[in-house]
Amino acid sequence: MALHSTNRISLPPVTLNLIIINVLFWLAQIALVRVNINLTDIFGMHYFQVSSFRVWQLITYAFLHDTSNFGHVFFNMFALFMFGISIEQLFGGKRFLLYYIVCALAAALTQQIVWAIDLMPIVNSGAESISLADGLYPTATILNRFITVGASGAVFGILLAFGWFFPNAAIFLFFIPIPIKAKYFVVIYGLIELLAGISSSGDGVAHFAHVGGMIGGLILILLWRKSVRKQRSI
């Protein structure tokens, strides 16, 4: 994770509300599962060819996090706090919210493409069941297990925007005492995620979705760059 310095440490409304919503949903995930309401299954993103998939999951997944890992929600919200302030102040609230949603959607579509490629052999086989180490399971049950949650795709899009518009801002990593310019940090981090996705390390992290969020952000930035540049000069 990274830190950077800002002239103003005030939390603009969209960034603040996004953090609040994400934290409240995370707490609700934990609380409601005790009464057999699984928000992760309902609002987390499933593979589009399974029975549990719903269109709204392409957005709602980005407001949920892994309930067994506090670091998942904490570091996403910390990054949103650190970088979202500057980008919301630059874009304005409405455009920032649109940017956030588009990055989350781009990450979701990227993950769906990755799943389609990885799961194609299973789907095309027509097999009714799959044998795993702990037993035989219906194919539909296995496919329904693939669920993605987390704001990381949107956060990576915000990180890319920060590196684009504040390229020379100093970023300090917790474990490296030397500042790194934002433009280099974004490129390095993006390449790490891409290589991690290609290597298929099986760490349970949707690396390609992170890259997809950055690509979605880049497309919007290229579309908006003239108006944003004009806004910065006012």
Side-chain angles (χ1 to χ4, degrees):
M1 187 49 62
L3 297 170
H4 72 88
S5 60
T6 58
N7 294 326
R8 293 179 59 190
I9 309 299
S10 59
L11 212 54
V14 175
T15 300
L16 174 61
N17 286 320
L18 284 173
I19 292 174
I20 291 173
I21 291 170
N22 274 275
V23 172
L24 287 178
F25 264 102
W26 184 73
L27 293 174
Q29 286 176 264
I30 296 173
L32 292 180
V33 75
R34 300 175 184 272
V35 292
N36 296 319
I37 298 176
N38 191 336
L39 293 184
T40 301
D41 187 58
I42 298 170
F43 295 111
M45 186 177 69
H46 292 261
Y47 178 46
F48 77 96
Q49 287 189 293
V50 304
S51 59
S52 296
F53 173 75
R54 300 291 184 271
V55 174
W56 63 69
Q57 295 170 359
L58 295 173
I59 294 296
T60 56
Y61 85 97
F63 295 94
L64 306 179
H65 288 82
D66 183 357
T67 56
S68 65
N69 181 6
F70 174 70
H72 190 213
V73 65
F74 174 79
F75 285 113
N76 272 341
M77 295 305 99
F78 182 70
L80 177 57
F81 166 76
M82 293 305 300
F83 301 107
I85 293 174
S86 299
I87 302 306
E88 182 176 349
Q89 289 174 342
L90 175 63
F91 284 178
K94 291 181 180 179
R95 181 172 285 190
F96 176 72
L97 180 59
L98 176 60
Y99 183 86
Y100 186 92
I101 292 174
V102 168
C103 289
L105 181 58
L109 295 176
T110 302
Q111 184 59 36
Q112 289 289 347
I113 292 172
V114 171
W115 275 339
I117 295 172
D118 290 344
L119 300 178
M120 188 181 299
I122 297 176
V123 174
N124 291 343
S125 70
E128 295 184 357
S129 60
I130 297 175
S131 178
L132 300 179
D134 57 344
L136 192 66
Y137 294 90
T139 300
T141 299
I142 299 300
L143 292 177
N144 270 305
R145 289 183 179 180
F146 289 87
I147 305 176
T148 291
V149 294
S152 300
V155 169
F156 267 79
I158 292 172
L159 177 61
L160 178 126
F162 186 85
W164 182 282
F165 292 107
F166 305 97
N168 296 315
I171 293 178
F172 294 85
L173 300 178
F174 288 149
F175 48 87
I176 301 178
I178 302 173
I180 303 174
K181 288 186 176 181
K183 57 186 176 183
Y184 300 132
F185 178 80
V186 169
V187 171
I188 293 171
Y189 210 165
L191 288 174
I192 289 174
E193 288 299 305
L194 181 61
L195 292 174
I198 293 173
S199 67
S200 299
S201 58
D203 57 5
V205 178
H207 296 287
F208 280 122
H210 298 169
V211 177
M214 297 178 84
I215 293 174
L218 177 61
I219 292 172
L220 273 187
I221 287 172
L222 293 176
L223 292 173
W224 291 349
R225 57 183 174 178
K226 290 184 179 179
S227 60
V228 173
R229 189 182 300 118
K230 181 179 179 180
Q231 181 176 326
R232 292 187 72 183
S233 64
I234 294 176

